[in-house]
């Protein structure tokens, strides 16, 4: 059987796409089925500032922060993620001989989502309820469409938003969407690549990297993972629970980030966790 | 056999999408295969101004004008066409129960293009050669991918750019891309809907509409079609030559623009033209 690998590449500032895309082209040539998932937060931030609607953050009562996604932000989100970044990646892959097909989670309802209900947020010390936020979390994946595309020889390049009940597009976490995708496809591997080397016990110290999540255990990993890393660890655990054999949270930088991650550079999650 | 209809909806200012999309949802429910092609020029113009890189026009030696598409413009083009407009349409269709899949011409190389060579342009009275323009014209359609999507029950929603030799994304005319698509799919009908009622002998006089292109003949139609209408007439002729039975250039406005065009409101092209 063909090996299926889902690779998520972050949308943070300073990530160079060319090396990752060259490695992916090599994997596809060698017969692997690859699905690429990407973000676009740095592009969205830049566009939001340029268009005079700067990024806003929601801080929940528990201290968790997320992007405030009103209708205008969703439009800019689609311009940055589905327009600029997605088509830039597809063009790059096509130039390298890979027949890439760029899709968002709303296309063919590839990612079904549950929209967040009212969010209890803290603004200037006061608790407020936000009811119109267009965000949610992926609850289902159209593996039939993705499987058909792979079968026909295409490489899906996926990006949020996802499709919530009533046909509403919502912002979802791309790491967890990638995890749901890997589980739905029965993927062998999920690589979550971004501008951090993995889960660090001390975010300021790269030598504090947790190399094997399975060895240190879920609690120690959760304790080390703050901020955006929390979602990556959640994604890794969701993928394992969904039957993915191996997940690596690793760096998107360097000449061969995919090979490095596959060789175990980063934080490796294997088998079911406690 | 299922009826296949390709509908192109313009991206000009003031076109309301909701009525067209509601009609399309009805056609899909009744069992027709529909492919929607759209533009986004008004959105691109607005974005270009907002981002400080206003639209520029190339005027050829023969007086033909087209959009100057440098790399920065192409990025904004993809944000407007593939990001904002495409995903807005897909979300709207999904909300109406249509399983739409939004794709650009570079995805799966749906539209292969020939890139324009050097363009001899006139700038402030002087002739200059423009060699870096990212524009071209569609020369091939991936009917296999489109056919598979239709077969699986999805409705393709297509937009430029297209993919030129060497994997370069290029701006192409969406009317002619729609014509090539209709021909490649062996479509029964092609509807080109925009903010004009059809080919007018006098652009200022709606009552000068040419109702049947076949009756008045190709020369009379060509003589009447100036500016952007030229491309629509070319598109109509290319579709007929490619085996499409019927093409209507009509208005995208009103409560039932699709039904109106199918009933013959606009300029109708049928059979091979002289």
């Amino acid at each position: 059987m063909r090996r299926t690998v889902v690779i998520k590449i972050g949308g943070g500032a300073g990530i160079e796409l060319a090396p990752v895309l060259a490695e992916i082209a090599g994997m596809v040539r060698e017969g692997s089925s690859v699905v690429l998932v990407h973000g676009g937060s740095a592009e969205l931030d830049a566009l939001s500032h340029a268009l005079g609607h700067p990024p806003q953050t929601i801080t929940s009562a528990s201290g968790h922060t997320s992007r405030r996604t009103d209708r205008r932000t969703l439009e800019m989100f689609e311009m940055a993620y589905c327009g600029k970044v997605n088509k830039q990646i597809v063009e790059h892959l096509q130039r390298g001989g890979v027949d890439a097909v760029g899709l968002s989670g709303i296309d063919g309802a590839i990612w079904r989502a549950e929209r967040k209900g009212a969010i209890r947020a803290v603004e200037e010390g006061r608790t407020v309820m936000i009811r119109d936020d267009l965000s949610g979390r992926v609850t289902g994946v159209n593996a039939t469409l993705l499987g058909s595309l792979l079968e026909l020889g295409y490489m899906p390049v996926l990006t949020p938003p996802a499709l919530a009940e009533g046909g509403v597009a919502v912002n979802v976490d791309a790491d967890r969407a990638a995890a749901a995708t890997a589980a739905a496809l029965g993927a062998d591997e999920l690589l979550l690549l971004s501008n951090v080397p993995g889960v660090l016990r001390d975010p300021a110290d790269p030598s504090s990297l947790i190399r094997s999540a399975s060895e240190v255990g879920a609690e120690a990993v959760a304790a080390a993972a703050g901020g955006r890393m929390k979602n990556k660890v959640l994604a890794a655990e969701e993928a394992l629970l969904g039957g993915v054999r191996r997940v690596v949270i690793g760096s998107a930088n360097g000449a061969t980030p995919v090979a490095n991650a596959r060789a175990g550079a980063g934080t490796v999650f294997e088998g079911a966790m406690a």
Side-chain angles (χ1 to χ4, degrees), chain A:
Chain A
M1 237 189 80
R2 280 169 124 206
R3 207 174 169 71
T4 302
V5 183
V6 175
I7 301 176
K8 155 77 195 328
I9 174 107
I15 292 179
E16 236 195 293
L17 288 169
V20 171
L21 299 182
E23 285 186 284
I24 289 174
M27 290 170 71
V28 170
R29 270 194 301 273
E30 284 159 20
S32 289
S33 288
V34 180
V35 174
L36 182 62
V37 177
H38 68 85
S41 54
E43 288 291 348
L44 173 54
D45 288 348
L47 185 64
S48 303
H49 283 291
L51 293 179
H53 190 77
Q56 286 176 277
T57 297
I58 297 178
T59 305
S60 75
S62 66
H64 182 79
T65 61
S66 59
R67 185 185 294 274
R68 174 86 169 93
T69 311
D70 53 18
R71 178 51 66 175
R72 176 82 183 115
T73 299
L74 185 78
E75 278 176 15
M76 297 187 297
F77 186 104
E78 291 175 337
M79 288 196 261
Y81 283 63
C82 313
K84 189 170 178 190
V85 180
N86 190 268
K87 296 318 166 202
Q88 180 190 351
I89 290 175
V90 168
E91 183 181 2
H92 196 112
L93 286 166
Q94 288 283 356
R95 201 170 297 161
V98 178
D99 211 349
V101 172
L103 294 161
S104 79
I106 71 172
D107 296 299
I110 284 177
W111 291 332
R112 290 264 174 211
E114 190 173 83
R115 184 174 170 183
K116 273 184 200 159
I119 304 170
R120 186 185 295 273
V122 182
E123 280 180 5
E124 296 172 3
R126 292 188 317 120
T127 299
V128 294
M129 296 299 283
I130 298 176
R131 293 176 201 281
D132 63 346
D133 202 59
L134 295 166
S135 61
R137 119 195 127 70
V138 171
T139 53
V141 175
N142 185 345
T144 312
L145 176 53
L146 294 176
S148 300
L149 288 170
L150 289 168
E151 197 76 17
L152 289 163
Y154 299 103
M155 182 187 140
V157 179
L158 308 180
T159 191
L163 193 68
E165 315 90 271
V168 178
V170 293
N171 180 1
V172 293
D173 181 72
D175 288 301
R176 294 176 71 189
T181 305
L185 292 176
D188 302 282
E189 246 178 323
L190 169 66
L191 309 179
L192 301 172
L193 308 181
S194 70
N195 44 18
V196 286
V199 185
L200 304 174
R201 288 181 197 272
D202 172 2
D205 176 11
S207 77
S208 70
L209 177 71
I210 295 177
R211 297 201 174 272
S212 167
S214 326
E215 275 173 30
V216 303
E219 266 180 47
V221 176
R228 290 185 55 79
M229 185 53 75
K230 259 190 192 155
N231 279 333
K232 291 186 194 298
V233 169
L234 263 178
E237 289 169 354
E238 287 165 355
L240 289 189
L241 275 174
V244 179
R245 206 180 43 72
R246 190 168 187 265
V247 183
V248 184
I249 298 179
S251 170
N253 299 316
T256 57
V258 174
N260 296 350
R262 298 184 84 186
T267 302
V268 179
F269 298 71
E270 270 171 323
M273 289 181 67

